[in-house]
Amino acid sequence: MSEGDAVQLLRERGLQVTAQRLAVLRAVSQRPHGTAEDIETVARAEIGAISRQAVYDALGALTDRAIIRRIQPAHSPARYEDRVGDNHHHLVCRRCGQMVDVDCAVGDTPCLTASDDAGYEIDEAEVVYWGRCPACAGEP
Ligand SMILES: [Zn+2]
Ligand SMILES: [Zn+2]
């Protein structure tokens, strides 16, 4: 994501543009599925000093405006990504925690059609596929 795109996105969503929010947003786009700690490392490399609190604040503001998406797999720290709004799913390696995107099984979003929606208007289905990544598959 270029700096110009990031600035525009923040403005479109009504967020004040700050160097810290820009750095955090660009870090998320560079490091999809990164933890807050990963994002902090990338953002710090880009703008120098940024406190952990500032990283968390920026992640919170960006998540609230749906500019980024927060994913919280069981027993794992929260991860962040800038691929939003398409209801894609994730594959998570139980051994090393590596996470990758996986599109909906049939190209459409059949998982949004619950067998009984109980009258709810459904807009997201959280599907996490757990297993082992190729690098971990042969390991004990
Ligand atoms: Zn693995
Ligand atoms: Zn993803």
Side-chain angles (χ1 to χ4, degrees):
M1 185 181 297
S2 76
E3 183 148 351
D5 288 347
V7 167
Q8 199 185 344
L9 196 51
L10 291 177
R11 288 207 177 118
E12 270 172 20
R13 303 296 169 92
L15 274 185
Q16 203 187 328
V17 178
T18 65
Q20 297 178 332
R21 283 179 182 155
L22 278 181
V24 167
L25 176 53
R26 294 181 71 201
V28 171
S29 108
Q30 254 177 66
R31 182 78 84 90
H33 311 128
T35 61
E37 215 169 303
D38 296 332
I39 304 304
E40 187 183 339
T41 307
V42 176
R44 189 163 290 152
E46 185 171 310
I47 62 166
I50 182 168
S51 69
R52 172 154 303 186
Q53 193 54 47
V55 170
Y56 277 98
D57 289 349
L59 287 170
L62 295 168
T63 306
D64 283 349
R65 302 295 168 116
I67 296 170
I68 60 173
R69 177 177 171 199
R70 181 178 191 275
I71 316 139
Q72 173 90 67
H75 316 298
S76 157
R79 319 282 192 97
Y80 298 88
E81 68 182 344
D82 70 342
R83 183 177 164 187
V84 294
D86 68 349
N87 190 59
H88 71 274
H89 306 312
H90 295 100
L91 273 163
V92 187
C93 176
R94 286 186 192 284
R95 191 169 175 275
C96 70
Q98 168 90 13
M99 185 188 280
V100 296
D101 288 335
V102 47
D103 290 322
C104 276
V106 198
D108 207 342
T109 49
C111 39
L112 292 184
T113 311
S115 53
D116 177 3
D117 64 15
Y120 283 51
E121 206 174 276
I122 299 171
D123 60 36
E124 182 175 340
E126 197 170 278
V127 179
V128 178
Y129 299 90
W130 291 92
R132 282 175 170 230
C133 73
C136 293
E139 304 292 319

